[in-house]
Amino acid sequence: MRYRTIGWACLSLLLTLDATAQTSDTTADKDQLPTVSIKARPRQQASQSKVKLKGQTDEQDDVAQLLRQVGGVQVNRQSGTAGTVLVRGLGGSRLPVLNDGIAMEGACNHGMDPATSYIDPEAVDQGTVIKGPSTVRYAGVLAGALVFERKPPSADAPSALTLSQTLAAFGKQQTHAEGLVNSETMWARVTNRHLQSGDERDGHGQRIPSSYLRDNHDLELGWRLSEEQTLSAKLTRSDGWAVYPAYHMDGTRFLSDSLGLQWRAQRLSPWVKQAEAQVRWQSVDHAMDNFTLRGEEGTYQADGINRTREIMLQRNRSRAASLRVDLDIADDHVIRLGLDGRLDSYHAQNHFINTVCFDLGSEVTCLPPDDLGIAPYYDIRIQQTGAYAEWLATLGSTSVSSGLRIDSRQSRAGDVRGIAANATPVKGQGSRRQMTLHSAFVRAEHRLDAQWQAHAAIGQSERGPDYVEIGSLQGYDLALEQHKELNAGLRYNAGQLSASVNGFINLIDNFMLVTSGTSAKSVDAIRRGFEGELNWAASPTIALGGNLSLVWAANKTDHVALAQTPPTQARLYAAWKQDAIGLKLITRMADGQQRIDRNHGSTNGLDVAATPGFSVWDIQGEYKFNKQVQVAAGVDNVFDRYYVEHLNHSSDGSWANLGSKLPAQVPEAGRRWWIKLGISLP
């Protein structure tokens, strides 16, 4: 795997050296590695937070961890990497992840490979966090959406090569290389990344089984058909392995391949403002077992004598297409029309090999292994086709938008069985279900004066059971989950000072609640919350700011708290930058969460215990030697605090066989140093 990474990096270098021979100059802004920037653009929609991902000085290799800087965003970490993103406490199929406009998914029913784990943050320009009702462009927008974009280079952008190397505590290494060859008529871009890490240690110095290795390779070819039209093709491949403290198995393969074609056009006619069409094929092959990364001790059963080797193979095949057109129907009036569809096939198998052993006192004697063969687990196909229309208008000092979307969704299940060897069929076997889903919203933003702006939005959306709820939780016949949400807030912008407040209330009918990780049921729920943000440029060299978010939620059917609700959280920062030197201090705080519903939750995690509050401090700095070379370094969790995130997975008891002393909830990493070197050529 490492040799493939080196090979792709060499190709990047060769392509770029050929191009740099034709290019002599570039601007300082394009040469230097940009500083971390998470501040939302002043005139963007209030429900959206845009995060620049490419070129961050932060050492994080996980898109999820980078988005955590946005207020209202939480992360449920699966291992040392590959965290699941949640917005206001909701994630999974309630929060679609879109790469260049098409939704992505993993294959693991345990959530080992959330969609964001297949996204290289250096291979996308920008991530947008959408909260609440503000668009129907994407299917399944309930909590919001995560949208990642990579824009074509401009025709006059120079060819370039960027390299970075990161070293960090716990044996972490990350190597990244990207080469761009660009001309007036076409471009080629190659991006490659290799990262690996050993096991982390918590604030008490105890080992957290969390080592991993991952490689990403992206190749993009583009053609400028005219000044208004581009056509591009993108091929990606990634693979790796990871150890998981929350499961009795580890991920030994995460092989993902995708091919996408995209056509974009601007101003095709006086009334066609923008048009876009794309198709994408994606294949994910995932494997996990309890012995490859743990040794034979990982196969021991509870009695400590008998052994079972367990292998699970999972596969997801996806085909998706979308078409969108924006029409200028009048001055400051735009109609957006779109069609999209996708077909996903999910297949899983189990393979058990039992070994019966006898403790004879002086030694343990084992019988020959009994291979039970490969057994089907689930086989599910989900097809969804949608059409939508949005109206966007500016009426004086008021901006109005509204939209309506209708989706036809069909799920078909073949084999659906229990997870044990020789398991019999369970509820949902051979089922077929047809659903019609409706989404709609109305939103208004009104500029009160030059500094103040108010906004309000109301919307509703629906979803059906996803493949995990059908295949692993026997939830094929759960009622449609229906969300109704009201958002309202204020924004203030006065040059060096900007602030915002936002409140929401969310009524949910038939919320799909997971019980003990083995079944799901429908309950009615209510959620409400508040978010605030403040950013102040105190001087030309000093910036201060932070955000606060809180969510309160209840299960109205059972008269208890809604499980896996995030606690109140805050993030504060102070940054100083002058000339080539920059420093930043960040603290993240979370209140304790006592409102729990034990052994209930979602496909992302369960409530296992109340969680105490915590505060952690990070410090980072950077130095630019010149336009081409920059170094950044930092220390995360400076005071080596022991803490646990409430949105969490419970640790798996199988680790006791390997001498691990994991608590009930998987803790976060203790103090960690890192250093990152970035080089931009020419």
Side-chain angles (χ1 to χ4, degrees):
M1 192 174 293
R2 181 188 295 272
Y3 299 107
R4 291 203 302 268
T5 302
I6 294 173
W8 280 69
C10 290
L11 176 60
S12 300
L13 180 60
L14 290 173
L15 287 172
T16 307
L17 289 178
D18 176 69
T20 54
Q22 308 170 34
T23 308
S24 58
D25 296 312
T26 185
T27 64
D29 288 341
K30 293 176 181 175
D31 275 337
Q32 67 187 18
L33 188 66
T35 304
V36 175
S37 175
I38 64 163
K39 182 179 178 181
R41 295 178 182 177
R43 298 190 65 81
Q44 72 184 16
Q45 196 177 95
S47 62
Q48 299 182 4
S49 297
K50 298 182 183 296
V51 182
K52 184 174 181 180
L53 298 174
K54 183 175 174 58
Q56 291 230 25
T57 53
D58 197 301
E59 59 84 34
Q60 291 290 352
D61 56 68
D62 185 10
V63 165
Q65 295 284 34
L66 293 171
L67 294 182
R68 176 179 263 167
Q69 304 168 77
V70 176
V73 172
Q74 301 86 29
V75 176
N76 184 339
R77 290 212 308 161
Q78 307 292 316
S79 179
T81 186
T84 298
V85 180
L86 303 101
V87 171
R88 299 169 174 171
L90 299 183
S93 57
R94 298 181 177 97
L95 183 73
V97 176
L98 301 109
N99 195 2
D100 287 329
I102 290 184
M104 300 178 63
E105 286 188 333
C108 182
N109 66 319
H110 291 330
M112 288 184 178
D113 62 335
T116 52
S117 68
Y118 294 103
I119 298 176
D120 175 2
E122 289 290 346
V124 292
D125 295 318
Q126 179 176 268
T128 302
V129 179
I130 299 176
K131 306 174 190 175
S134 61
T135 183
V136 291
R137 179 180 172 185
Y138 314 114
V141 178
L142 284 83
L146 306 178
V147 182
F148 300 94
E149 300 172 280
R150 189 75 191 263
K151 297 180 180 178
S154 60
D156 58 353
S159 299
L161 173 67
T162 59
L163 305 168
S164 68
Q165 177 68 50
T166 302
L167 299 176
F170 312 124
K172 180 177 178 178
Q173 302 178 42
Q174 179 176 194
T175 304
H176 179 269
E178 179 175 289
L180 170 66
V181 179
N182 194 32
S183 69
E184 291 184 359
T185 58
M186 64 179 298
W187 74 90
R189 184 159 45 193
V190 182
T191 306
N192 305 283
R193 180 178 68 151
H194 171 81
L195 58 140
Q196 65 184 58
S197 176
D199 291 335
E200 297 174 341
R201 291 188 176 273
D202 63 27
H204 293 332
Q206 296 291 329
R207 181 176 72 96
I208 309 171
S210 52
S211 57
Y212 63 90
L213 180 146
R214 183 173 287 275
D215 285 313
N216 298 81
H217 313 293
D218 291 19
L219 171 63
E220 181 184 13
L221 301 175
W223 297 266
R224 297 181 180 89
L225 307 179
S226 66
E227 291 185 1
E228 294 81 19
Q229 298 184 59
T230 62
L231 177 67
S232 61
K234 188 173 183 180
L235 177 66
T236 70
R237 163 163 280 207
S238 64
D239 199 1
W241 55 260
V243 176
Y244 292 88
Y247 307 120
H248 68 287
M249 292 187 286
D250 300 315
T252 56
R253 183 171 72 231
F254 296 95
L255 178 60
S256 173
D257 293 290
S258 71
L259 172 63
L261 302 175
Q262 185 176 55
W263 170 76
R264 294 177 177 177
Q266 305 275 346
R267 292 297 175 189
L268 290 177
S269 73
W271 51 276
V272 179
K273 179 180 180 181
Q274 194 174 53
E276 180 182 286
Q278 57 182 321
V279 293
R280 182 180 297 163
W281 298 264
Q282 184 182 15
S283 170
V284 180
D285 286 282
H286 168 53
M288 48 186 169
D289 66 46
N290 62 350
F291 56 88
T292 299
L293 301 176
R294 304 190 186 195
E296 195 63 27
E297 292 84 354
T299 69
Y300 286 2
Q301 296 183 13
D303 58 16
I305 300 176
N306 295 311
R307 304 164 192 177
T308 298
R309 284 193 168 201
E310 184 176 352
I311 305 165
M312 182 176 285
L313 306 175
Q314 296 176 315
R315 183 178 70 235
N316 177 13
R317 300 289 184 265
S318 175
R319 290 173 287 173
S322 69
L323 174 65
R324 175 176 66 92
V325 60
D326 290 1
L327 305 177
D328 269 336
I329 58 173
D331 290 342
D332 297 322
H333 289 260
V334 174
I335 293 290
R336 174 174 295 159
L337 303 174
L339 294 169
D340 54 55
R342 61 183 300 120
L343 173 63
D344 293 280
S345 300
Y346 308 93
H347 184 69
Q349 296 174 314
N350 289 313
H351 187 186
F352 294 90
I353 304 173
N354 291 331
T355 301
V356 177
C357 300
F358 302 93
D359 187 353
L360 303 178
S362 59
E363 62 180 9
V364 175
T365 301
C366 298
L367 299 177
D370 179 16
D371 190 338
L372 302 179
I374 296 177
Y377 182 19
Y378 57 73
D379 186 9
I380 299 167
R381 290 166 60 90
I382 298 178
Q383 182 173 353
Q384 184 159 326
T385 305
Y388 64 88
E390 291 186 348
W391 171 59
L392 303 92
T394 301
L395 309 172
S397 58
T398 303
S399 298
V400 180
S401 59
S402 62
L404 174 66
R405 180 185 181 98
I406 299 177
D407 286 271
S408 174
R409 179 182 175 94
Q410 182 184 78
S411 61
R412 289 182 290 170
D415 270 315
V416 179
R417 298 173 179 262
I419 198 171
N422 302 318
T424 57
V426 298
K427 187 173 69 171
Q429 169 101 349
S431 65
R432 175 178 293 194
R433 184 176 180 187
Q434 180 71 42
M435 293 159 277
T436 301
L437 310 178
H438 302 86
S439 302
F441 81 97
V442 177
R443 180 178 186 86
E445 298 190 12
H446 179 69
R447 186 164 293 280
L448 302 173
D449 56 31
Q451 298 173 332
W452 288 94
Q453 180 174 308
H455 62 269
I458 187 169
Q460 73 160 31
S461 54
E462 298 175 323
R463 79 173 184 100
D466 61 24
Y467 79 98
V468 178
E469 289 155 339
I470 296 173
S472 297
L473 303 173
Q474 303 181 38
Y476 84 98
D477 59 349
L478 289 172
L480 292 182
E481 184 174 300
Q482 300 175 327
H483 287 239
K484 300 178 182 67
E485 185 166 327
L486 172 67
N487 272 255
L490 286 170
R491 287 194 295 168
Y492 175 82
N493 195 323
Q496 306 304 313
L497 180 65
S498 64
S500 66
V501 293
N502 188 67
F504 72 91
I505 182 168
N506 178 204
L507 301 176
I508 309 174
D509 296 332
N510 306 315
F511 182 88
M512 298 180 196
L513 183 70
V514 176
T515 302
S516 301
T518 57
S519 63
K521 65 177 183 178
S522 295
V523 300
D524 292 340
I526 181 172
R527 304 169 63 250
R528 54 179 181 259
F530 168 87
E531 293 157 4
E533 183 172 353
L534 176 69
N535 294 285
W536 178 38
S539 74
T541 60
I542 297 176
L544 305 171
N547 56 58
L548 170 71
S549 64
L550 61 91
V551 178
W552 182 94
N555 173 347
K556 298 194 298 180
T557 300
D558 299 328
H559 306 288
V560 295
L562 186 64
Q564 286 289 277
T565 297
T568 300
Q569 299 183 75
R571 181 180 181 274
L572 303 174
Y573 73 88
W576 172 83
K577 185 174 182 181
Q578 187 165 14
D579 300 326
I581 304 175
L583 292 173
K584 195 169 190 179
L585 181 65
I586 305 165
T587 181
R588 190 167 64 89
M589 299 165 282
D591 195 9
Q593 181 58 285
Q594 307 297 320
R595 300 186 70 254
I596 66 170
D597 185 12
R598 198 178 301 274
N599 293 326
H600 291 83
S602 68
T603 56
N604 303 307
L606 303 176
D607 279 357
V608 296
T611 308
F614 64 84
S615 64
V616 291
W617 294 77
D618 303 336
I619 187 170
Q620 57 186 247
E622 63 171 344
Y623 180 75
K624 292 182 174 66
F625 293 94
N626 51 43
K627 296 178 181 179
Q628 288 78 37
V629 182
Q630 173 180 311
V631 65
V635 178
D636 297 339
N637 194 357
V638 173
F639 301 108
D640 203 19
R641 288 289 305 273
Y642 176 91
Y643 70 104
V644 171
E645 298 280 1
H646 181 69
L647 301 184
N648 197 310
H649 285 272
S650 57
S651 59
D652 192 81
S654 62
W655 281 103
N657 295 329
L658 289 88
S660 178
K661 299 179 180 178
L662 286 172
Q665 293 170 295
V666 178
E668 299 296 309
R671 184 186 298 116
R672 182 179 63 179
W673 59 267
W674 58 269
I675 184 169
K676 180 177 182 179
L677 174 66
I679 299 175
S680 300
L681 299 174

